[in-house]
Amino acid sequence: MAQAQPRREQDMDEQLHQAALPQQVASSEQAAIRYGHVFAVTGELAGQPISPRDAAAMRSAEDSVAGVQVPEAAGGGFSAATAMETAAAYNTAVGAVAPDPASDAAAVHGISVTQTAVPGGRVVTEFVAGQVVGQYSVADPPPAAEEDATKITIGEALEATARAGGGRPIDPADAEAIRAAEMSALGADVAMPGGLGDVARAAARANTRATRDDDKVKVGDVLADATAKLAGDKAAATEDATRVVQAEKFNDAGARPRAGGVGAAVATAARLNEDNALGGDAQ
């Protein structure tokens, strides 16, 4: 009889452990962050814990709204995905929800984002189970300023280079000047992949392997119709000319700007644009 005692103690421990499990589950559920804790919702949805799948669905819905940078918080509105992700992470950590299932209300009634046009922009509204959980306004972008048609663009300056010295084989100094001009035309700090600058670089590399001048790619071959080849264009300005001339000098064996080159053409265009602007102001 004395040997049966350990068995009874083991059975008792198991029973006590099993009896404690519902209390632990209930405690986790009570600790859950529910929709009603975060959003002004009612009914069944208010009592539902926010799940990771709900948060992911809202993030996907926000990302699907074209042309909108969704704010995490802003005057006059907020988005729901960030708040839902924070709540879902907490609920998962305390064991209140499993990672995979959606909440009952969201699974049945869905998660969606709508847009309503208003003067000057749009109002974006986010829904879970048909109730609003997020809303914010998005202003329309301002209209692009019209370029002064009397000003010479960078693309036109490149085309002038093609006409003036287009028969000369293109070399690395030309290529880097063209690349700098393209970046200025696009208002970018990096060159456009596969753009005019990349074409010019490839031509300069090919010319180093060519044995006859007749086989080499000429400046005019690359810069003809430059305005059509550029992804964007703008009126040439002094800072553009400085950028292009520096690129040309840095890659020239004698560290000199090239007469009739890309730098000279952009510099001339910038100077004429500035002179015309000063003449217009004087009138």
Side-chain angles (χ1 to χ4, degrees), residues 122-143:
R122 290 170 284 170
V123 173
V124 179
T125 307
E126 302 174 347
F127 299 88
V128 174
Q131 298 193 53
V132 176
V133 294
Q135 191 172 66
Y136 46 92
S137 59
V138 180
D140 288 335

Side-chain angles (χ1 to χ4, degrees), residues 163-204:
R163 293 191 296 270
R168 177 171 51 78
I170 193 168
D171 64 16
D174 299 315
E176 296 309 313
I178 292 168
R179 189 178 178 86
E182 180 184 37
M183 288 190 285
S184 288
L186 299 178
D189 292 326
V190 294
M192 178 179 175
L196 201 58
D198 280 359
V199 171
R201 274 186 171 180

Side-chain angles (χ1 to χ4, degrees), residues 27-258:
S27 176
S28 296
E29 290 180 349
Q30 290 172 0
I33 299 176
R34 304 173 189 277
Y35 278 97
H37 296 151
V38 182
F39 306 110
V41 296
T42 59
E44 179 188 2
L45 179 62
Q48 294 283 317
I50 299 174
S51 76
R53 179 161 290 190
D54 293 0
M58 180 57 75
R59 177 63 68 188
S60 177
E62 287 186 354
D63 290 345
S64 71
V65 181
V68 172
Q69 180 65 44
V70 179
E72 290 189 5
F78 61 91
S79 72
T82 300
M84 290 173 65
E85 287 167 347
T86 302
Y90 173 83
N91 288 345
T92 304
V94 300
V97 297
D100 293 332
S103 64
D104 293 341
V108 174
H109 301 290
I111 289 173
S112 61
V113 176
T114 65
Q115 300 183 71
T116 304
V118 296
R122 290 170 284 170
V123 173
V124 179
T125 307
E126 302 174 347
F127 299 88
V128 174
Q131 298 193 53
V132 176
V133 294
Q135 191 172 66
Y136 46 92
S137 59
V138 180
D140 288 335
E146 293 186 7
E147 196 71 62
D148 187 345
T150 65
K151 291 187 175 181
I152 304 168
T153 68
I154 292 173
E156 290 169 337
L158 294 177
E159 290 179 352
T161 307
R163 293 191 296 270
R168 177 171 51 78
I170 193 168
D171 64 16
D174 299 315
E176 296 309 313
I178 292 168
R179 189 178 178 86
E182 180 184 37
M183 288 190 285
S184 288
L186 299 178
D189 292 326
V190 294
M192 178 179 175
L196 201 58
D198 280 359
V199 171
R201 274 186 171 180
R205 285 195 299 269
N207 284 351
T208 62
R209 297 189 295 271
T211 56
R212 299 188 312 146
D213 280 352
D214 288 346
D215 296 333
K216 294 182 178 181
V217 181
K218 309 301 190 293
V219 172
D221 298 331
V222 175
L223 294 184
D225 300 320
T227 53
K229 295 174 182 176
L230 289 170
D233 205 358
K234 66 181 283 290
T238 302
E239 58 269 22
D240 303 319
T242 300
R243 182 182 198 177
V244 175
V245 170
Q246 285 178 343
E248 192 173 66
K249 288 171 61 179
F250 185 80
N251 291 276
D252 180 76
R256 295 186 300 269
R258 187 153 294 167

